[in-house]
Amino acid sequence: MYMGEGCWTSIEEIRMGNVFVSFIFLLLIFIVHAPGNIVSQEMKDAAPAVFEGINILQFPTQQTEDVKHVHGENHDVKHAHAHVHAGSSTNSPITVFFRIKDLEFGKKLPIYFSHVNPAKSFNFIPRKQADSIPFSTKALPYLLDFFSIPKGSPQANAMKETLTSCEMKGDDEDIKYCATSIDSLLEFARSIFGSDSNFKILRTPLTKESTPVFQNYTVLDWKEQAAPMIIACHNLAYPYAVYFCHSQKSETKVFMVSLEGDNGERMDAITVCHMDTSLWDPNHLSFRLLGVKPGTSEICHFFPSDDLVMVPQLTTV
């Protein structure tokens, strides 16, 4: 399975990379829920430290409060709104949304790419463990207690937003699913592309620690990735990896855009362009930023490093 330009991995490697996570997670469940066991407050308070550095109880830097609604449906644009401090502003210096015509050789675009810790990126817990934990807004009080997260804290609010987003139903035009394990992610992909289909996963490369999160990037080249359909998956804030995935029937194009930052670092960033915006909310931020109306223009945006795009692997004759 292809994981983006210059980065190859396999399903087996992903699963093996999470074996330690599985062991620690099972240990916590045993400690907290073992029959007759009285869990001290000190043990519960220490739980987050047990998972430090392995994406358990480690929330993404971008919060689900940035998930907004598009034509009455949950459309995750956290990678855009997280970079616009005033949501109503139309004078943001950061390239949040753009049009295909903006992809010109030599053109400079001010872009924000947040730093993502590679040790915490795409690090699912095994499905058996994910399925053993309630995943609903009704279970939120239990989950906050289980993960020792204070009620009303930013982390608690982020969890509520994620659960609420995942409970919103899709329709025939926009199929939605929240994946809590690599197995459930792959099952959803096969339900869209076909049970026997091959597909690849595209990601924007991780930036170096020394790379400014916000700088000018010069467009060097771009290439469309042939894809009759796509699945976009957005990393949501939760104690373990949760991806909000959706597949829209409306035309969507995927580009690999070669960029060079002012610091000299180059990357091939994943870009998605929504070609039909006629059903989008007229008050959507993209229309205000670009000065266009629904249905009159495509809307494009870069994908951050912790989001994924899945496309079918087309066979060549």
Side-chain angles (χ1 to χ4, degrees):
M1 181 177 63
Y2 184 54
M3 289 290 292
E5 195 72 7
C7 178
W8 289 82
T9 190
S10 66
I11 300 300
E12 289 72 21
E13 288 172 331
I14 293 174
R15 289 191 174 117
M16 287 302 295
N18 291 320
V19 168
F20 183 68
V21 175
S22 174
F23 171 76
I24 295 296
F25 202 83
L26 280 173
L27 179 61
L28 177 64
I29 293 176
F30 174 78
I31 291 174
V32 175
H33 297 287
N37 188 29
I38 300 176
V39 182
S40 68
Q41 187 61 43
E42 290 76 12
M43 291 176 66
K44 294 183 69 176
D45 291 342
V50 174
F51 299 104
E52 185 176 358
I54 55 175
N55 201 37
I56 301 297
L57 299 185
Q58 303 292 324
F59 285 80
T61 55
Q62 297 159 326
Q63 300 297 313
T64 52
E65 64 187 19
D66 299 304
V67 178
K68 302 298 180 182
H69 293 278
V70 176
H71 55 81
E73 299 175 2
N74 185 329
H75 179 74
D76 189 329
V77 289
K78 66 181 173 60
H79 46 282
H81 293 280
H83 312 145
V84 180
H85 301 291
S88 60
S89 171
T90 56
N91 298 311
S92 170
I94 303 174
T95 299
V96 178
F97 298 101
F98 58 94
R99 303 172 69 178
I100 293 178
K101 69 178 184 179
D102 293 319
L103 296 178
E104 300 177 359
F105 175 78
K107 185 168 185 176
K108 285 186 177 291
L109 300 174
I111 308 172
Y112 181 106
F113 285 114
S114 60
H115 289 148
V116 176
N117 188 331
K120 302 174 185 177
S121 178
F122 201 66
N123 197 2
F124 286 105
I125 63 173
R127 184 171 195 169
K128 184 176 181 179
Q129 281 68 61
D131 290 347
S132 69
I133 305 169
F135 190 77
S136 68
T137 52
K138 290 183 179 180
L140 183 59
Y142 166 83
L143 292 167
L144 295 178
D145 181 67
F146 178 79
F147 289 114
S148 299
I149 296 175
K151 183 179 179 181
S153 65
Q155 292 85 355
N157 293 334
M159 285 181 66
K160 182 179 179 180
E161 289 289 338
T162 290
L163 293 170
T164 300
S165 298
C166 289
E167 289 176 352
M168 290 183 176
K169 298 185 181 297
D171 53 36
D172 292 339
E173 294 298 320
D174 191 4
I175 303 172
K176 302 172 183 177
Y177 181 75
C178 277
T180 57
S181 67
I182 184 64
D183 295 284
S184 61
L185 179 75
L186 298 178
E187 279 187 8
F188 178 69
R190 294 189 180 104
S191 73
I192 300 297
F193 299 140
S195 57
D196 297 327
S197 62
N198 293 320
F199 54 90
K200 55 185 178 180
I201 298 179
L202 306 175
R203 297 176 67 187
T204 295
L206 301 176
T207 57
K208 299 176 182 178
E209 283 287 337
S210 58
T211 301
V213 293
F214 173 56
Q215 64 173 332
N216 285 321
Y217 284 87
T218 302
V219 177
L220 302 179
D221 195 9
W222 61 95
K223 180 180 180 182
E224 182 176 355
Q225 304 293 300
M229 63 181 73
I230 77 165
I231 298 173
C233 295
H234 309 283
N235 188 19
L236 300 186
Y238 208 69
Y240 50 88
V242 172
Y243 275 79
F244 172 81
C245 301
H246 63 123
S247 178
Q248 299 175 327
K249 285 189 176 181
S250 58
E251 184 183 5
T252 306
K253 293 186 177 182
V254 180
F255 293 88
M256 188 82 75
V257 181
S258 296
L259 302 169
E260 182 175 17
D262 282 349
N263 70 331
E265 182 177 357
R266 294 190 177 190
M267 68 161 63
D268 292 328
I270 300 300
T271 301
V272 170
C273 294
H274 303 275
M275 307 305 294
D276 182 6
T277 60
S278 58
L279 297 179
W280 286 27
D281 185 341
N283 294 319
H284 191 269
L285 177 65
S286 60
F287 300 134
R288 299 200 299 271
L289 290 177
L290 298 179
V292 297
K293 296 181 179 180
T296 63
S297 172
E298 77 283 354
I299 300 294
C300 304
H301 55 84
F302 291 107
F303 263 52
S305 301
D306 54 352
D307 285 358
L308 310 170
V309 175
M310 294 186 282
V311 298
Q313 183 78 55
L314 302 179
T315 56
T316 56
V317 179

